[in-house]
Amino acid sequence: EAQVTQNPRYLITVTGKKLTVTCSQNMNHEYMSWYRQDPGLGLRQIYYSMNVEVTDKGDVPEGYKVSRKEKRNFPLILESPSPNQTSLYFCASSSNLRGSSTEAFFGQGTRLTVV
Amino acid sequence: AQSVAQPEDQVNVAEGNPLTVKCTYSVSGNPYLFWYVQYPNRGLQFLLKYITGDNLVKGSYGFEAEFNKSQTSFHLKKPSALVSDSALYFCAVRGGSYIPTFGRGTSLIVHP
């Protein structure tokens, strides 16, 4: 089954304690992306990756890091989480081959609370 | 830069009535247009897409959308709403960069 898997689904942590949210896809997609969803603000892109070892900032990258060492994995790293990073996070993947028309596939989300 | 506008934060409709959720876009070149639905505590799920061809696109759960190039719109429609259609709906566009841009979402509430 084609899917994007995020872990964990729920996480409560304390300010300043480094954490990683994992994302893995099994569709051999080139493009992967992280979003945060906050009430009234819709989906905001944090970082994206066009392919292995190629990453770029989205609209709200401050306080986040990513890496793309393998095609299937795209972890989101919060080196020093702060309460304003409390949010619902989604990972997504899609094909970006020229001529491709695939839609984005989303993970189930990670609800992060930073206290 | 590409953009998507969903002008309504919330749409209310009675069960059995037709529904429309509006979306307009701006993009360079030919657009790839998508609608997604998000149910509470779930990720976004794909509903339908326009790539090329017929301007009326049919998708999952009886939804359809009409591509209008002159008005740069891609409104989501359903002839008869169900209470179970109540959810958050996102419109998205992809252009030549292949990076999708999402609208802010429209909350659809279907009243019994």
Side-chain angles (χ1 to χ4, degrees):
Chain A
E1 179 190 355
Q3 60 183 8
V4 176
T5 304
Q6 284 179 239
N7 279 297
R9 290 288 311 276
Y10 301 91
L11 180 60
I12 301 175
T13 190
V14 296
T15 299
K17 185 177 181 181
K18 180 179 179 179
L19 66 91
T20 299
V21 184
T22 64
C23 174
S24 181
Q25 51 97 1
N26 63 0
M27 295 162 281
N28 203 37
H29 284 161
E30 298 76 26
Y31 181 84
M32 297 186 74
S33 182
W34 276 102
Y35 299 88
R36 60 179 289 174
Q37 184 178 22
D38 302 287
L41 297 177
L43 285 176
R44 293 183 293 169
Q45 191 175 50
I46 302 170
Y47 269 94
Y48 64 92
S49 170
M50 298 294 276
N51 214 324
V52 176
E53 301 291 3
V54 181
T55 63
D56 211 342
K57 296 177 180 178
D59 300 317
V60 289
E62 294 77 22
Y64 304 95
K65 285 176 57 178
V66 293
S67 68
R68 187 89 182 274
K69 294 184 172 63
E70 307 165 279
K71 199 170 188 179
R72 64 183 293 124
N73 296 323
F74 191 46
L76 179 69
I77 303 157
L78 284 72
E79 294 270 3
S80 183
S82 62
N84 65 11
Q85 293 179 297
T86 293
S87 186
L88 180 58
Y89 292 86
F90 289 103
C91 179
S93 75
S94 63
S95 175
N96 66 347
L97 292 177
R98 187 161 293 281
S100 166
S101 62
T102 63
E103 62 275 17
F105 290 76
F106 281 81
Q108 292 285 70
T110 296
R111 186 166 292 281
L112 172 65
T113 302
V114 184
V115 298
Chain B
Q2 61 194 36
S3 64
V4 173
Q6 292 181 241
E8 301 151 316
D9 290 334
Q10 185 171 301
V11 169
N12 291 278
V13 64
E15 188 173 33
N17 283 0
L19 70 87
T20 298
V21 182
K22 295 179 181 177
C23 172
T24 58
Y25 67 90
S26 172
V27 69
S28 299
N30 294 322
Y32 293 169
L33 293 156
F34 305 84
W35 275 103
Y36 296 84
V37 60
Q38 184 183 26
Y39 298 103
N41 300 316
R42 302 292 298 273
L44 278 70
Q45 299 173 37
F46 169 72
L47 268 183
L48 52 79
K49 65 184 175 186
Y50 171 83
I51 304 302
T52 187
D54 195 347
N55 289 344
L56 185 64
V57 179
K58 294 188 184 296
S60 307
Y61 312 121
F63 283 93
E64 57 189 29
E66 186 167 12
F67 171 63
N68 187 315
K69 187 173 183 177
S70 62
Q71 297 185 6
T72 60
S73 67
F74 190 56
H75 301 332
L76 182 70
K77 301 182 180 186
K78 188 174 182 181
S80 179
L82 300 172
V83 172
S84 58
D85 292 330
S86 299
L88 190 57
Y89 291 82
F90 289 92
C91 181
V93 65
R94 278 174 55 187
S97 71
Y98 292 89
I99 300 170
T101 297
F102 288 83
R104 291 169 67 129
T106 298
S107 178
L108 173 66
I109 300 174
V110 181
H111 303 277

